[in-house]
């Protein structure tokens, strides 16, 4: 799971949290090790509730949408600073 999350972080894959969990979730019968340690972790225990994930995605989208505007403001401020220094 950590490998998949790292691959997503560097842009090699574009899977959602739910898709990553589906890839690593055990399928079929549980082996004896599963019976000793309990059931596999739920997606909610790994990533939080779906509403929490959706809230974080929306916040990230807002920040990403503001980035180009902030960059323009920084460039403008830098240009004004250069003009002021020349005076």
């Amino acid at each position: 799971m950590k490998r998949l999350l790292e691959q997503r972080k560097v842009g090699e894959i574009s899977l959602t949290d739910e898709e990553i969990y589906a890839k690593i979730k055990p399928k079929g019968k549980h082996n004896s090790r599963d019976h000793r340690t309990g059931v596999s972790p739920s997606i909610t225990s790994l990533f939080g509730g779906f509403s929490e994930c959706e809230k974080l995605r929306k916040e990230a989208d807002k920040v990403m949408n503001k980035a180009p505007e902030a960059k323009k403001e920084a460039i403008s401020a830098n240009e004004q600073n250069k003009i002021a220094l020349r005076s």
Side-chain angles (χ1 to χ4, degrees):
M1 182 163 143
K2 288 180 182 179
R3 181 178 49 82
L4 292 172
L5 291 171
E6 185 61 34
Q7 286 176 332
R8 181 178 68 184
K9 186 177 180 181
V10 297
E12 292 177 13
I13 60 173
S14 61
L15 299 175
T16 65
D17 292 342
E18 293 80 13
E19 291 168 330
I20 289 173
Y21 179 73
K23 279 188 168 283
I24 64 151
K25 182 180 176 188
K27 294 176 178 72
K29 279 180 116 179
H30 295 289
N31 62 29
S32 60
R33 189 172 135 222
D34 291 333
H35 291 290
R36 283 182 296 162
T37 59
V39 296
S40 62
S42 70
I43 193 164
T44 305
S45 68
L46 292 172
F47 300 111
F50 288 107
S51 60
E52 183 180 340
C53 289
E54 189 59 31
K55 182 178 110 180
L56 292 173
R57 280 192 191 118
K58 287 179 181 178
E59 287 177 24
D61 287 342
K62 285 180 186 177
V63 170
M64 292 301 291
N65 290 335
K66 291 180 182 178
E69 183 180 320
K71 186 176 180 179
K72 287 179 187 175
E73 288 176 13
I75 290 170
S76 175
N78 193 18
E79 289 172 0
Q80 290 175 359
N81 220 6
K82 286 179 184 178
I83 293 170
L85 289 173
R86 289 182 196 155
S87 313

